[in-house]
Amino acid sequence: MVRRGSVAALALVWGLGAAAPAWAEGRLAFFASGEDLATEGFVGAQLTRDGWALTFDHIFVTVTALTAHQAEPPYDAMAGGEIQATTSVVLAGEHSFDLVEADADDRVLIGEVEAPVGHFNALSWRMTPATAGPAAGYAMVFVGTAERDGVVVPFVLRNAEARTYRCGEFVGDERKGFVVAGGMADLELTFHLDHVFGRADKAADDPTNLDALGFDAFAAGGEHEITLRGMHIGHAGEGHCDVVWE
Amino acid sequence: MWFGSDSAGRCGLALLALVLVSLAPAPPVLAHAAFLELRPVEGIAVQGRYDDGTVMAGAQMAVFAPNDPARPWLTGVTDDEGWFRFVPDPAIEGRWTVQARQAGHGAMAYVEVGGEGEAMAAVMLMAGGDEAFSPLQRGVMTASVVWGLIGTALFFQRRRAA
């Protein structure tokens, strides 16, 4: 599901990084992705669980307390709880971004920070209502168009629930988060939109489809406030995260 | 037998054995002699499964050694029961990482490999996790790790052909 372009290959210099002075630093970039379901929409075989095609003009997300951790021991998202870390770096402030305005790898750069050498093997962030901008008052906003059987409806779905995601290591085509002196590493907040709308190409009794909203409830179009409580949208690549709802 | 622990109660794993077939030059008096040497070794077994109990048959597996953690040391596929077995290089001490991926779900497991002559210990299992008792947990993959320490020279067999 995660298809990513290449990131700096750090393996060859890992040994050098491990031996670098304690003050040695590199940089760590934070990306967000809604994958192809955000940039291309629910199209083709990937319709919503109830057969709607969705395309998005915007998917606004707002986060704070975006933190990368060198967790020790590695964080077990299944067990949940606090992340125990020897080192953490924070991308300070409130960050709103649009998952539709992504690069060729479906990623949006949120920001980057200086980070000490080591493996950042855990990630946490808080989704919170934006204090300004087009999504003010909401943590997540979907703006788009739905189509089924010739019926076309524009929609705006707004979600105001604050919650915190705590994730272990990124799981995907490559391992991420290895900071070496003078180098650049990255981590990714991954939003699995099929947990919201379901997928027609999965079985009706697939757990994702059983719990997803689908789109029938919004078939009249227009603006709606939705709850996403209990849905697990936030991931680190394919790795699931512990979620704490407020 | 397999010495190990399995937090999910799945015991009775088949012994992981390394079979070495040697076709070394035969002594002059035993032309074409063949030797078959079986030597049990330390190994790691990992099972991927979803937390509704479904095993992850055919999942893509990658093993990363601690001296080169960004590049797979070994890749493979789980068997029909979701198991993947491998023998780490005991000369590479430290935390080994095992990654499992299937259909958009993934998990990591970590295993410490000690120094020469020391036991391996599965320090933890780690998997994709969701809130406790959430219905979505049914779709989340879990992984478990067992380790085996066969010891040194517990078994040695040599057959010499006439």
Side-chain angles (χ1 to χ4, degrees), chain A residues 64-140:
Chain A
T64 60
L66 181 48
T67 309
H69 309 270
Q70 295 185 18
E72 185 57 46
Y75 185 63
D76 184 350
M78 179 67 82
E82 297 292 329
I83 295 173
Q84 305 300 317
T86 57
T87 300
S88 298
V89 294
V90 179
L91 182 62
E94 176 182 304
H95 301 272
S96 293
F97 46 87
D98 185 350
L99 295 176
V100 179
E101 297 298 321
D103 62 17
D105 294 319
D106 302 322
R107 305 204 307 173
V108 180
L109 177 63
I110 304 172
E112 59 182 65
V113 295
E114 291 190 346
V117 163
H119 185 200
F120 286 85
N121 58 352
L123 177 66
S124 61
W125 71 89
R126 180 171 180 258
M127 284 184 66
T128 182
T131 57
Y138 295 94
M140 195 166 197

Side-chain angles (χ1 to χ4, degrees), chain A residues 75 77 80 162-167 228-234 240-246, chain B residues 129-132:
Chain A
Y75 185 63
R163 64 275 200 182
T164 296
Y165 293 93
R166 297 182 293 207
C167 316
L228 299 176
R229 185 174 292 270
M231 298 176 195
H232 295 260
I233 303 171
H240 288 246
C241 305
D242 181 48
V243 190
V244 179
W245 297 86
E246 298 176 14
Chain B
D130 289 305
E131 283 185 315

Side-chain angles (χ1 to χ4, degrees), chain A residues 192-213:
Chain A
H192 288 195
L193 304 185
D194 53 353
H195 285 256
V196 180
F197 298 105
R199 286 264 294 272
D201 59 342
K202 292 185 176 181
D205 61 352
D206 184 279
T208 298
N209 281 338
L210 291 175
D211 297 290
L213 297 174

